[in-house]
Amino acid sequence: MTPQERSQKAHELVAKGAVLLDVRTPEEFQQGHPEAARNIPVQVLAHRLSEVGPVGTPVVVYCAAGGRSAVAAELLRKGGFPEVFDLQSVKNW
């Protein structure tokens, strides 16, 4: 999937109600993020899954380059969120 295709799919999912989840640090988040994004750093995500939304909520997840978002996507799936789209990088938004 190209970055443009990832961007288009992410925008479509968020428009349909998916949560846009930024798993970077609070400092990175403050440096710039899409308006709709929520920030829950990947390091604490396992303990804050309830803040993402009800189990089953669709989620679009991203970080700076894609490593942390891949880890977060796996955590989300194991936590009861089967519809997870990994946007990888915030630059793909």
Side-chain angles (χ1 to χ4, degrees):
M1 198 175 243
T2 68
Q4 293 82 8
E5 290 167 336
R6 283 189 178 284
S7 176
Q8 183 178 355
K9 181 166 182 168
H11 278 87
E12 288 171 4
L13 291 169
V14 170
K16 291 178 184 175
V19 170
L20 183 59
L21 185 63
D22 185 319
V23 296
R24 299 176 298 162
T25 66
E27 294 78 19
E28 289 173 297
F29 185 73
Q30 290 302 320
Q31 291 172 6
H33 58 84
E35 188 176 328
R38 295 183 196 174
N39 180 229
I40 304 176
V42 70
Q43 297 89 338
V44 297
L45 181 59
H47 304 289
R48 294 175 58 186
L49 287 176
S50 64
E51 293 177 41
V52 175
V55 169
T57 299
V59 181
V60 174
V61 63
Y62 69 86
C63 62
R68 290 174 285 180
S69 66
V71 171
E74 187 61 27
L75 278 170
L76 287 160
R77 288 184 188 104
K78 287 180 180 177
F81 297 86
E83 294 181 59
V84 179
F85 179 70
D86 186 357
L87 181 60
Q88 298 177 340
S89 172
V90 64
K91 294 175 186 171
N92 291 336
W93 179 250

